[in-house]
Amino acid sequence: MLYPAVIKAQSLILAGDIVGAESALVELADEEGDQALVLAMDQLPPKDLLAVIREYDTSKESVLNLLVTPEQFSRAVVIEKQYKDLTHAHLRGMMNSVIFREDNDPVEFLRAIGEREGGCDALADYLADHWGRVESFLRTGTFEASEDTGAVLSESDLVAQMYNESKVEQDEIADSDWMEFTWLLRAHCPDILIEVMVILRARVKAFEEEAEGEDDDDGHHQGGHTPFRETHGEGEGSQKKAADPDEESAI
């Protein structure tokens, strides 16, 4: 039997009232306790849960983001791409608010997402703006551009390098953001990070080939090749983002 709060929340989400839906669920927690809200989130379809938690507001604390379980969160995260948010701003906001919440084990969430079908694509979306620095970290064990030789490693060499010890400790990059996110994946879920890097490399390769094809069409192709990397911290956001060939229609 569905909680009445779940039925009300679904109705409000359908009407586009996300704030009202969250309030209905929070009211359930106030009246019946946190465990009731956890059970209610289990009854919400992933798309409805996602509709609420992706609207994370840094100016206030979200009870849902504080209580959502790794299993519930992973089910929602893998369908976030259906919103076709090319900036991935909502994805990064809700990921950081949930994964790095106080008294939480972030690795449980990273593993739950990475092991779910489509999860590594979501992790790749999260890291898309920083893929050059991420690959640099895997090659050199540090996020510092000065440590990078600029060599583009083969996939097998990159995998081998990933299992070498990092040159930085977690507390040195504890930003509750993409650097700590990457560090945790490398330290605790290297197999997942390998798959994420394969996805990112495939996206960049497809983007480069598309760009070269456009140069050929325009008659301006000079025979050069855009390397598979950003400038490793120097104007990191200056290059165009690689297209995601797996984008689905919006929810």
Side-chain angles (χ1 to χ4, degrees), residues 48-69:
D48 290 338
L49 178 60
L50 174 63
V52 177
I53 63 175
R54 79 183 297 270
E55 297 300 328
Y56 174 68
D57 183 353
T58 56
S59 67
K60 64 182 181 69
E61 194 172 70
S62 168
V63 175
L64 272 69
N65 287 39
L66 288 173
L67 295 177
V68 65
T69 68

Side-chain angles (χ1 to χ4, degrees), residues 1-7 10 25 28 36-46 48-49 72 75:
M1 179 178 176
L2 287 178
Y3 280 98
V6 171
I7 298 172
Q10 286 185 278
L25 294 168
L28 171 65
L37 177 55
V38 173
L39 294 174
M41 285 192 285
D42 250 349
Q43 295 180 349
L44 272 177
D48 290 338
L49 178 60
Q72 292 166 346
R75 289 199 302 263

Side-chain angles (χ1 to χ4, degrees), residues 41 85 185:
M41 285 192 285
D85 175 14
L185 280 174

Side-chain angles (χ1 to χ4, degrees), residues 27-41:
E27 186 177 339
L28 171 65
D30 291 340
E31 293 176 353
E32 300 189 33
D34 291 348
Q35 187 58 35
L37 177 55
V38 173
L39 294 174
M41 285 192 285

Side-chain angles (χ1 to χ4, degrees), residues 172-187:
E172 296 178 65
I173 45 83
D175 59 353
S176 296
D177 203 349
W178 69 271
M179 282 196 288
E180 188 171 9
F181 186 99
T182 304
W183 192 97
L184 288 168
L185 280 174
R186 176 174 178 165

Side-chain angles (χ1 to χ4, degrees), residues 5 22 60 100 103 121 135 138 158 193 195 237:
E22 181 177 13
K60 64 182 181 69
F100 295 110
D103 299 325
D121 278 297
E135 180 161 336
L138 301 187
L158 187 66
L193 186 53
E195 187 169 347

